[in-house]
Amino acid sequence: MPGLTSAAGVVGLLSEPEPELQVFALKVLNEQIDSLWTEVANSVGDIEALYEDPSFPERELAALVAAKVYYNLQEYNESMIFALGAGKLFDIDHEGEFEDTIISKCVDTYIALSGTVPANNTNQPPSQLTTAFSSNANGASSISAGLASPTTPFSQSTLPSKSLLSRQDSTTTFDPSQQVAGNANLPGALPASVASQTSVQKQLYAIIDELFERCFQGGSYRQVIGIAVEARRLDILRRVIIRASEDEKKQRKGEDGDFIRGQELMEYVLEICMNVVQERGLRNELLQLVLDLLNDIPSPDYFSIAKCIVYLNEHTMASDMLVQLVNKGDAKSTAVAYQIAFDLYDNSTQDFLKKVRGDLPKASEPAPAATTDDQDRMQEDPPEPRESDQLLKELDDSAGVPASSLDGNQDKKGAELSPEAQKAFDSIRTILSGTKTIELDLEFLFRSNRADMAVLNKIRDSVEARNSIYHTAVTLATAFMHAGTTNDSFFRQNLEWLGKAVNWSKFTATAALGVIHRGNLGQGQKLLEPYLPKDQIAGANPSSAYSQGGSLYALGLIYANHETFALDLIREHFKKATEEVVQHGGALGLGVAGMATGDESIYEDLKSVLWTDSALNGEAVGIAMGLIMLGTGDIRALEYMIQYAHDTQHEKIVRGLALGMALIMYGRQEGADELVNGLLDDPDPILRYGGIQTLALAYCGTGSNKAVRKLLHVAVSDVSDDVRRIAVMSLGFILFRKPSSVPRMVELLSESYNPHVRYGAAMALGISCAGTGLDEAIDLLEPMIKDPTDFVRQGALISLSMIMIQQNEAMNPKVGTIRKTLMKAISDRHEDAMTKFGSAIALGIIDAGGRNCTISLQTQTGNLNMSGIVGMVVFTQYWYWFPLTHFLSLSFTPTAIVGLDQDLEVPSFKFHSATRPSLFDYPPEQETKQEDAPKKVETAVLSTTAQAKRRAQRKEKQQRRESMDIDQTPTTPKTVNLDDKMETDESPPKAEEGQESEKPDGGKKEGDAQPETAKKRMEKEKVGYQLENMSRVLPPQRKFISFPDGRYQPVKKPTGGVILLTDSTPSEPKSLMELKAKKTVKPAAAPVTLQDRVSEALGQQEAADRDAQGAAEAAGVLTAVDEDGEGGEEAEVPQEFDYFTDEEGGNEG
């Protein structure tokens, strides 16, 4: 039929009584509706009437025409309803804009309808809050009772059905969890007809099932997974994975082999859970589904199972999996068990690891050998409460519980174990305690230390040591640069400088030893013995309280996140302490060492000190309470801290408690919304500050849109500069897994009129983009180096060092310029003190851990790095209290690959890196210039005197030539410039001669030619080189690593850190690497053994004695009591920071 120019005649047929004419009209309109819909739109009511007429023979055709009319009118909801009514006439296989749009709308509606299923309560905060608080709510009988709060902002007894973080404003979008009335006026709202008519829903589900089947036939399983996750249909998700495995099995026609398609889809779901899903409840359900599916596979991926177990906090499943692997008996399964144990330590809390160690089988008789820490000794004791065991057994018998399940745990612990299994379980306990990982990290940092002492000397010489802020800056730079390397030689070699530390500078300097010796588990207590508090003896010289408090803080940093005897030692000193400074350091040490243990007794000890209402130790106690209860969501602790924060008059205590509450809500996500909103509604700006910190820690690493929206709202609306600053800064914690999105988000904020907002934007970039060298972030930070406000420049310098950590010229050409900028800022005598302080810290961060550490807020396997995140959060509080800067060392992660064999020994072998050596090489060391040293005035020589000297030299040379017996080839004499110019009798420096030979063109400076030279040298290098075991491997380099060695192969894809290796030829002798840190770090002892006498005869003992003497001298300096009191005189800030000009400076007086 030729195309119609007008639809008037055809539309008129719709009013005819004969159905044949109406059907004819509908068929014509259906074919040409795209060009005639404007005329048909006025008669769409007639078409709807035909569809609703039960006696009309072509109702589906009428529905299809009506759907197309509404589609052209952009009424997509009505169009979808009529398209569903069209039945088979709506062909989803037909390619067209109409079909694609309707299918998309059907999918959205399916997702919205699935979100209203009552059985799925993943989006309901009450269940999350009940989970968060039930274990510590004293058996509250109801949700409202469990959530009751003693303060006004928390008086809400009922909770809304959706997250409290969602603001009801003009930007509110469609929410699947609130159907019909809740979304009535929002774009994309679900029509009431779809929600109420079951027939329409059946047609919708039929369309979706047909769509799914088409995806299955085409192998597009991931599309179905995406729809199922958004719709929260776990049954569909399970069906997809099983269907993919069955389809692969049919394609292979029964052939044996690994069916990897289903495993790949499960890995895809796991990736979605970690990076896309933002709701904790939905994530847990998805992980539980993946865990069930993985366990059904004959040869499951144990590493994916371990990742799910950590997220779900299922310690019994972790121990069962380790037992299952060990009981297999083969070497590879044991190596996999060891690798999982290492991964569990990296990703779990101390409380979780303690439970896993307790669930592992033990021999029937406890071994007499001493364990690595007190926890293992406690766990080896047999259970004592026999009466309660008997009572539980009687109750279980009455309930009909099988005897096998009754004594399952006892059988696990009392069963006869083979020597190999017993050895494996003992090794797993050692790994789970963290001792092995910490020991290997210490060894790597010790043997690979590349710290540049010239930089430290430059910092020390550039600032006035008598000023406390500068002394603290040098101390912090030293600590960061040597973090974990055990190299404290800078302190020993600069005793005079160290002696200028007074009061809190002495506290910080002593605590720096904990950063330097972090992980030195064997010698940590002995190294700090001279500084630790001691019982005072009459007539003895008392040691400084500041060094005592700093030593407790240092002890906690050495044993950070590692619950050993050190925790009890610090606790003992803390309880005995009477001076506030010692209590301050003891509280910080307790918090760091007992992180996330949830120990109620330590919490009560801290609370008793808090009752004294001392501002000095109250801040540290508040932080320590949060560290002990990290991530527990303990409601009793929160209620007490909220009440005390409102009762006390000390701002420092309120600030410490606010941060402590944020730490308690670490990772709670929706469970923290009640606390967040309550704190943000408080009139006290410090508590609002804590509310933002709570939001940042609860949603850290999730990329939550609602959290980001809330932070941006507070950043531009709060009246407090402190709150606005932390709101912008917290964006870095929420989005650190998506670093490329942060520069775009804070671009406008970095140009704000408010310097606090600009500082927050700078720190957000540093936190989220740490170690990435991201160009977009650097481009935003470079102009901020010249900001008119000093603390903004400070934040920009610190953030640049975080981003540029472990970057070289090949990875980022700007790193050299940034390093020069940092050195220039520290040496500029006209620069502000705060900027110099930031520059000094930045120079320590950029070379952290001897240039072998990066800053990472997630672990090697992609989970949240709990200690790293906590360290970064507390570090940002250096704004108020400098000693908290040391917490940044918890974020330092060694970048190495350490291969271990099945005996947990370090074999000597090589692996391959498919890159050029210079691409990931260490940056060059700083060149030192002796420009500041006074130069000798050169003696002027007249030109006539020089000419006389040259004549005499020529005459002497001629006489020597004539006296020889053989003829010599005459040499071409140098042309002499006989200008009447004064010369000096000083010979030109050798550096100039070297520069002439290096630069034949003579026109470019050395710095200008360096990038081109490095680039040419890199191009000439051969691609691919060998690396020794325990070598530095940067995160971007890991994808180029392979193991061509035929003997040792990793049990999983290398992700950095400790990698277990399988030995293909275990019968052959193996070469092991010597662990140098153990031998060198040990302090000197009296020569009582033959080996010691031999070492002394060879002179090794003398070197150890010298080191011990240097350490003793440093201890004597730091423990000396300050002659000045707390309010003693201190060196004034140098005058150049007042920005006097030369003329003004000369007249000042």
Side-chain angles (χ1 to χ4, degrees):
M1 176 182 289
L4 297 177
T5 58
S6 175
V10 179
V11 171
L13 295 177
L14 296 174
S15 302
E16 294 293 330
E18 290 81 2
E20 291 80 4
L21 295 176
Q22 294 172 339
V23 171
F24 173 77
L26 289 175
K27 289 182 179 180
V28 173
L29 291 176
N30 181 45
E31 294 175 356
Q32 304 187 30
I33 193 66
D34 292 336
S35 59
L36 301 177
W37 68 269
T38 54
E39 299 180 62
V40 180
N42 295 327
S43 303
V44 71
D46 296 336
I47 301 175
E48 290 186 30
L50 293 176
Y51 167 66
E52 294 171 357
D53 184 4
S55 62
F56 185 67
E58 294 289 342
R59 294 180 60 216
E60 294 181 348
L61 180 59
L64 182 61
V65 174
K68 291 183 178 181
V69 172
Y70 279 114
Y71 165 75
N72 286 284
L73 290 171
Q74 297 186 2
E75 294 290 341
Y76 299 124
N77 286 329
E78 297 294 332
S79 177
M80 179 196 67
I81 293 174
F82 284 105
L84 293 175
K88 296 181 179 180
L89 293 182
F90 177 65
D91 186 9
I92 65 173
D93 293 328
H94 183 271
E95 295 183 0
E97 292 183 3
F98 169 70
E99 287 78 9
D100 292 343
T101 304
I102 298 303
I103 290 174
S104 176
K105 191 64 184 176
C106 288
V107 171
D108 292 340
T109 307
Y110 173 77
I111 292 172
L113 280 173
S114 301
T116 62
V117 178
N120 191 346
N121 295 322
T122 58
N123 198 31
Q124 298 298 323
S127 64
Q128 295 301 309
L129 287 166
T130 303
T131 303
F133 295 114
S134 60
S135 61
N136 296 302
N138 289 327
S141 58
S142 67
I143 294 175
S144 59
L147 295 177
S149 174
T151 59
T152 303
F154 298 88
S155 59
Q156 304 171 2
S157 59
T158 59
L159 295 174
S161 60
K162 60 182 291 188
S163 173
L164 293 174
L165 289 175
S166 297
R167 296 188 294 117
Q168 298 298 329
D169 57 7
S170 59
T171 61
T172 306
T173 55
F174 172 74
D175 186 1
S177 65
Q178 290 192 353
Q179 295 305 327
V180 190
N183 293 306
N185 299 320
L186 299 179
L190 187 64
S193 58
V194 177
S196 59
Q197 296 181 11
T198 56
S199 60
V200 175
Q201 292 185 15
K202 289 181 180 179
Q203 294 167 351
L204 174 66
Y205 290 147
I207 290 290
I208 295 298
D209 288 340
E210 186 179 352
L211 184 65
F212 285 170
E213 187 62 32
R214 191 175 68 174
C215 291
F216 292 154
Q217 295 176 0
S220 302
Y221 301 102
R222 296 194 176 193
Q223 295 181 7
V224 183
I225 287 178
I227 296 174
V229 170
E230 287 195 47
R232 307 164 192 269
R233 292 293 302 271
L234 303 185
D235 54 337
I236 300 295
L237 195 59
R238 180 187 294 272
R239 190 179 113 197
V240 174
I241 297 175
I242 295 176
R243 173 69 180 270
S245 301
E246 292 177 352
D247 290 347
E248 186 179 14
K249 191 179 296 184
K250 291 179 181 177
Q251 291 176 1
R252 292 191 178 186
K253 297 180 180 179
E255 295 179 5
D256 295 333
D258 295 334
F259 299 99
I260 61 174
R261 185 178 295 171
Q263 296 184 19
E264 288 179 351
L265 291 179
M266 281 187 279
E267 291 178 1
Y268 178 65
V269 174
L270 199 59
E271 183 182 355
I272 290 177
C273 289
M274 305 306 176
N275 302 324
V276 178
V277 177
Q278 298 180 359
E279 296 180 24
R280 190 179 183 187
L282 177 59
R283 180 186 294 122
N284 289 345
E285 291 189 13
L286 291 174
L287 289 174
Q288 188 64 54
L289 171 64
V290 173
L291 193 59
D292 295 341
L293 292 173
L294 284 171
N295 288 326
D296 293 340
I297 299 177
S299 56
D301 182 3
Y302 289 104
F303 301 109
S304 298
I305 293 177
K307 188 177 290 189
C308 296
I309 287 173
V310 170
Y311 265 98
L312 295 172
N313 200 28
E314 295 285 350
H315 61 89
T316 53
M317 297 183 68
S319 58
D320 291 342
M321 181 174 61
L322 292 173
V323 171
Q324 178 185 353
L325 287 169
V326 172
N327 288 339
K328 286 186 176 181
D330 59 302
K332 185 172 182 179
S333 298
T334 305
V336 171
Y338 289 162
Q339 184 67 66
I340 290 174
F342 277 112
D343 292 345
L344 288 176
Y345 173 75
D346 288 338
N347 300 308
S348 308
T349 63
Q350 293 190 52
D351 184 52
F352 181 88
L353 296 171
K354 185 176 181 180
K355 292 177 181 177
V356 175
R357 293 201 304 268
D359 290 341
L360 292 177
K362 298 187 179 76
S364 56
E365 296 182 2
T371 55
T372 56
D373 57 277
D374 291 346
Q375 290 183 24
D376 295 343
R377 271 198 300 274
M378 291 170 60
Q379 291 165 3
E380 289 178 5
D381 295 337
E384 296 179 0
R386 297 178 181 176
E387 292 82 359
S388 62
D389 290 345
Q390 183 177 2
L391 178 61
L392 290 173
K393 184 174 181 180
E394 292 174 357
L395 291 173
D396 289 336
D397 288 337
S398 63
V401 179
S404 59
S405 63
L406 273 172
D407 299 329
N409 196 26
Q410 296 179 0
D411 292 342
K412 187 190 293 186
K413 294 190 176 183
E416 293 293 335
L417 298 175
S418 64
E420 294 79 10
Q422 179 63 37
K423 179 183 177 182
F425 287 127
D426 290 341
S427 300
I428 290 175
R429 287 192 192 91
T430 303
I431 296 170
L432 292 175
S433 69
T435 306
K436 195 67 180 178
T437 302
I438 296 172
E439 175 188 331
L440 294 172
D441 287 343
L442 182 75
E443 173 67 25
F444 164 70
L445 294 175
F446 175 80
R447 67 165 58 225
S448 304
N449 183 15
R450 294 287 189 92
D452 193 351
M453 298 299 291
V455 175
L456 282 178
N457 293 330
K458 179 72 173 177
I459 300 173
R460 179 202 61 200
D461 297 338
S462 300
V463 296
E464 173 56 52
R466 286 190 61 206
N467 188 274
S468 62
I469 185 174
Y470 292 151
H471 198 287
T472 301
V474 180
T475 300
L476 295 172
T478 305
F480 290 158
M481 199 173 292
H482 294 96
T485 63
T486 72
N487 182 5
D488 55 5
S489 59
F490 182 82
F491 288 154
R492 303 185 185 188
Q493 295 170 5
N494 295 275
L495 296 178
E496 181 182 356
W497 168 84
L498 192 62
K500 296 179 181 179
V502 294
N503 299 335
W504 289 105
S505 295
K506 184 174 291 186
F507 178 93
T508 307
T510 309
L513 295 174
V515 178
I516 295 173
H517 291 278
R518 184 189 171 198
N520 192 0
L521 304 180
Q523 305 297 329
Q525 182 185 2
K526 192 162 188 176
L527 287 166
L528 294 175
E529 191 68 36
Y531 311 93
L532 292 172
K534 301 179 180 62
D535 296 333
Q536 295 297 332
I537 303 174
N541 293 328
S543 60
S544 171
Y546 293 95
S547 65
Q548 292 178 10
S551 65
L552 294 178
Y553 185 14
L555 196 61
L557 289 170
I558 290 177
Y559 296 91
N561 200 21
H562 184 68
E563 188 180 4
T564 57
F565 70 92
L567 188 62
D568 296 329
L569 180 63
I570 300 171
R571 183 180 177 188
E572 180 182 352
H573 286 300
F574 176 74
K575 294 167 68 175
K576 290 181 179 179
T578 56
E579 298 193 34
E580 293 178 339
V581 179
V582 181
Q583 291 177 337
H584 183 94
L588 292 176
L590 275 176
V592 178
M595 189 186 303
T597 56
D599 194 317
E600 292 284 351
S601 58
I602 298 179
Y603 174 81
E604 293 298 328
D605 292 340
L606 292 168
K607 193 163 67 171
S608 63
V609 175
L610 186 66
W611 283 341
T612 61
D613 201 43
S614 168
L616 187 60
N617 54 30
E619 182 177 17
V621 168
I623 296 173
M625 292 166 73
L627 289 171
I628 294 295
M629 295 294 176
L630 180 65
T632 60
D634 192 328
I635 187 172
R636 289 184 300 167
L638 290 171
E639 288 178 349
Y640 174 79
M641 296 168 78
I642 295 166
Q643 183 66 48
Y644 198 91
H646 282 90
D647 292 342
T648 186
Q649 300 298 317
H650 297 292
E651 289 187 358
K652 290 176 71 68
I653 295 180
V654 177
R655 184 173 292 113
L657 290 172
L659 179 55
M661 288 187 284
L663 292 169
I664 291 176
M665 282 298 180
Y666 166 81
R668 306 304 294 185
Q669 296 187 21
E670 292 86 357
D673 289 352
E674 179 78 3
L675 177 62
V676 169
N677 285 270
L679 291 174
L680 291 180
D681 290 339
D682 199 281
D684 188 349
I686 301 179
L687 287 179
R688 295 204 304 275
Y689 186 100
I692 295 297
Q693 289 179 312
T694 305
L695 177 60
L697 280 171
Y699 288 91
C700 60
T702 62
S704 171
N705 293 329
K706 61 183 179 181
V708 170
R709 185 170 64 245
K710 190 72 173 178
L711 291 175
L712 291 174
H713 172 68
V714 174
V716 297
S717 63
D718 200 277
V719 296
S720 171
D721 286 337
D722 287 350
V723 179
R724 297 178 68 180
R725 183 180 67 246
I726 191 64
V728 181
M729 192 188 306
S730 297
L731 291 171
F733 291 104
I734 303 293
L735 298 169
F736 69 79
R737 281 180 164 166
K738 304 174 184 176
S740 59
S741 63
V742 179
R744 298 195 306 271
M745 189 168 295
V746 302
E747 184 175 3
L748 294 178
L749 295 172
S750 65
E751 300 174 359
S752 171
Y753 72 93
N754 191 325
H756 291 268
V757 174
R758 298 199 300 270
Y759 172 88
M763 292 300 293
L765 290 170
I767 293 167
S768 60
C769 305
T772 62
L774 194 65
D775 291 333
E776 293 83 355
I778 297 169
D779 292 340
L780 287 180
L781 288 170
E782 282 181 329
M784 302 175 76
I785 299 175
K786 301 177 182 179
D787 194 275
T789 308
D790 51 0
F791 61 79
V792 178
R793 297 197 297 273
Q794 179 192 81
L797 293 173
I798 293 175
S799 296
L800 279 173
S801 66
M802 291 181 181
I803 296 172
M804 284 299 189
I805 189 171
Q806 287 199 323
Q807 299 283 315
N808 58 20
E809 293 281 354
M811 299 171 68
N812 195 315
K814 291 185 178 180
V815 66
T817 305
I818 291 174
R819 285 180 178 271
K820 290 178 182 177
T821 302
L822 296 175
M823 294 301 297
K824 181 180 178 182
I826 197 69
S827 59
D828 186 359
R829 63 189 186 92
H830 294 293
E831 188 58 88
D832 280 342
M834 293 184 70
T835 307
K836 282 195 170 188
F837 179 83
S839 178
I841 294 179
L843 285 168
I845 294 173
I846 201 170
D847 288 338
R851 301 186 174 184
N852 292 299
C853 287
T854 188
I855 294 177
S856 178
L857 302 187
Q858 53 185 342
T859 61
Q860 310 275 10
T861 55
N863 290 10
L864 295 179
N865 181 6
M866 182 189 69
S867 60
I869 293 171
V870 170
M872 183 65 74
V873 168
V874 182
F875 160 73
T876 59
Q877 303 308 299
Y878 82 89
W879 178 278
Y880 303 103
W881 193 234
F882 285 157
L884 297 180
T885 313
H886 286 312
F887 269 82
L888 182 62
S889 62
L890 301 180
S891 301
F892 294 159
T893 303
T895 52
I897 286 183
V898 183
L900 296 182
D901 59 12
Q902 291 96 326
D903 298 326
L904 298 183
E905 296 176 329
V906 187
S908 178
F909 77 102
K910 294 183 179 180
F911 51 90
H912 183 75
S913 176
T915 61
R916 293 183 173 88
S918 62
L919 181 57
F920 299 105
D921 199 6
Y922 290 95
E925 293 189 358
Q926 182 73 25
E927 295 182 2
T928 58
K929 296 182 180 180
Q930 303 295 333
E931 294 179 354
D932 298 332
K935 295 183 178 179
K936 179 182 176 182
V937 178
E938 298 177 349
T939 306
V941 182
L942 298 176
S943 60
T944 54
T945 306
Q947 291 175 3
K949 283 184 178 182
R950 283 194 290 271
R951 283 196 297 269
Q953 290 174 358
R954 283 197 299 269
K955 186 176 181 182
E956 183 181 357
K957 192 180 298 184
Q958 183 67 22
Q959 290 176 356
R960 286 201 306 268
R961 188 181 295 113
E962 292 176 353
S963 62
M964 291 184 179
D965 296 334
I966 60 174
D967 296 331
Q968 292 187 351
T969 304
T971 58
T972 304
K974 292 183 180 179
T975 58
V976 181
N977 188 4
L978 300 179
D979 295 339
D980 293 337
K981 181 169 119 180
M982 296 180 66
E983 298 180 358
T984 61
D985 54 4
E986 300 274 342
S987 60
K990 295 181 179 179
E992 294 181 1
E993 297 176 1
Q995 289 174 1
E996 290 177 2
S997 61
E998 291 176 3
K999 301 184 296 182
D1001 54 349
K1004 293 184 180 180
K1005 295 182 180 179
E1006 185 177 357
D1008 298 335
Q1010 185 176 0
E1012 293 185 9
T1013 306
K1015 186 176 181 180
K1016 291 181 180 179
R1017 185 171 62 249
M1018 181 178 172
E1019 291 175 354
K1020 293 180 181 179
E1021 288 178 341
K1022 182 181 178 182
V1023 177
Y1025 63 102
Q1026 300 292 325
L1027 285 169
E1028 290 284 348
N1029 190 16
M1030 200 176 282
S1031 291
R1032 174 179 180 263
V1033 177
L1034 303 187
Q1037 188 180 2
R1038 293 173 194 157
K1039 57 186 177 183
F1040 301 106
I1041 298 298
S1042 60
F1043 289 77
D1045 191 320
R1047 179 168 184 177
Y1048 295 105
Q1049 293 296 322
V1051 296
K1052 71 168 187 176
K1053 184 179 179 181
T1055 55
V1058 179
I1059 300 294
L1060 262 295
L1061 307 169
T1062 56
D1063 189 353
S1064 59
T1065 55
S1067 58
E1068 297 182 4
K1070 58 183 179 182
S1071 175
L1072 300 178
M1073 297 184 68
E1074 181 183 7
L1075 301 183
K1076 301 178 181 179
K1078 278 187 175 181
K1079 304 183 84 177
T1080 310
V1081 171
K1082 286 186 179 180
V1088 294
T1089 64
L1090 178 61
Q1091 180 63 35
D1092 289 329
R1093 293 191 180 96
V1094 172
S1095 300
E1096 186 181 21
L1098 295 176
Q1100 296 180 7
Q1101 196 72 26
E1102 295 179 2
D1105 290 339
R1106 285 196 298 272
D1107 292 340
Q1109 182 180 0
E1113 291 175 354
V1117 170
L1118 287 176
T1119 56
V1121 179
D1122 301 327
E1123 296 180 1
D1124 299 332
E1126 180 70 30
E1129 182 180 358
E1130 194 176 89
E1132 298 179 357
V1133 178
Q1135 295 178 357
E1136 53 266 25
F1137 300 118
D1138 294 332
Y1139 290 101
F1140 288 123
T1141 62
D1142 294 337
E1143 292 78 8
E1144 291 172 339
N1147 296 330
E1148 181 202 12

